[in-house]
Amino acid sequence: MTLTVHQFPCLQDNYGFLARDEATGKTACIDTPDAAAILSELDKLGWKLDLILNTHWHPDHAGGNAEIKAATGATVVGPGEVTRLTPLDREVVGGDTVQLGETRFEVIETGGHTLGHIAYFDAADKIAFVGDTLFALGCGRLFEGTAEQMWTSLQRLAALPDQTTVYCAHEYTASNARFALSVDDAPALQTRAADIFAKRERGEPTVPTTIALEKATNPFLRAPVLAGRVGAEGKPDYEAFGAVRAAKDGFKG
Ligand code: ZN
Ligand code: FE
């Protein structure tokens, strides 16, 4: 079981992902931010699309479904909320599995950014596609869910193996790093932030990341440690998380 991932920037700050099961040549795209860009990447690689995997219903994640399905005949799989925007061939929930050739994705429920948000985890290759739930040094805004729901979702991702490669759907990392430095002075964060600013200067991506790196430096996963810095001392972990999230929402930097 080997999954090859091809990542490319599209729209303003989204990433497109094509994932190919090497044993069978079966190919999936994770979310459909930009149909034209995705179809052109498939063409360049000479890959034929079999599956569309949506993480949530937002247009920069499912907006290209119809055009890509029409062009490729791919099967569309996602959480039920996607039907608010566009039809699905198969609705999945946390605990389900989705097969791409010999690669098996576990569906993980990660509501919070939207209520029905899900992530896809390939345990054999230790690869996770997390949409807008976990970002490099960040997490998604709470558009629909509560701080408690999002904290629970983030803990599910944090429980994946340390070496897991994490594909986030946006390049928000430099701005996330500026916020992280405002609430956390961990040496590992300082080192990582310097690396991130240098990479962005050179126009390089900071995605993918890993679970180990996020556990060590992401202020949202470190919320319980930072509780005193955000006025949530002695509060439950999810409230500390909510306070970090609120601080980020109000952060100008
Ligand atoms: Zn979103
Ligand atoms: Fe998004």
Side-chain angles (χ1 to χ4, degrees), residues 3-25:
L3 191 72
T4 300
V5 180
H6 173 67
Q7 171 182 325
F8 52 97
C10 57
L11 302 182
Q12 189 96 345
D13 49 31
N14 278 76
Y15 282 118
F17 303 108
L18 294 171
R20 176 177 161 104
D21 173 64
E22 290 300 339
T24 62

Side-chain angles (χ1 to χ4, degrees), residues 196-234:
I196 284 163
F197 296 137
K199 277 204 169 98
R200 294 311 293 153
E201 281 287 310
R202 297 193 297 264
E204 294 170 13
T206 64
V207 172
T209 177
T210 65
I211 291 296
L213 198 49
E214 294 314 312
K215 284 200 296 196
T217 54
N218 186 312
F220 297 95
L221 297 183
R222 285 170 47 74
V225 181
L226 304 174
R229 299 283 295 267
V230 291
E233 200 139 41

Side-chain angles (χ1 to χ4, degrees), residues 4 7 14 28 44 50 72 74 103 117 125 145 170 176 180 190 197 250:
T4 300
Q7 171 182 325
N14 278 76
K44 267 191 252 173
D50 298 285
T72 64
T103 301
H117 196 297
D125 298 295
H170 290 271
N176 288 342
Q190 314 264 348
F197 296 137

Side-chain angles (χ1 to χ4, degrees), residues 41-59:
E41 293 294 318
L42 282 165
D43 212 45
K44 267 191 252 173
L45 295 163
W47 292 1
K48 186 193 147 302
L49 194 71
D50 298 285
L51 207 58
I52 293 171
L53 299 176
N54 290 132
T55 60
H56 64 298
W57 73 270
H58 283 161

Side-chain angles (χ1 to χ4, degrees), residues 59-115:
D60 64 317
H61 296 264
N65 282 15
E67 189 180 337
I68 294 172
K69 184 179 171 68
T72 64
T75 301
V76 186
V77 176
E81 65 173 23
V82 168
T83 60
R84 284 156 72 172
L85 188 76
T86 180
L88 285 175
D89 295 310
R90 180 183 167 203
E91 181 180 330
V92 290
V93 297
D96 286 347
T97 60
V98 182
Q99 206 70 30
L100 176 73
E102 293 182 5
T103 301
R104 189 177 122 117
F105 290 103
E106 296 166 22
V107 176
I108 303 173
E109 184 193 333
T110 54
H113 174 70
T114 62
L115 286 178

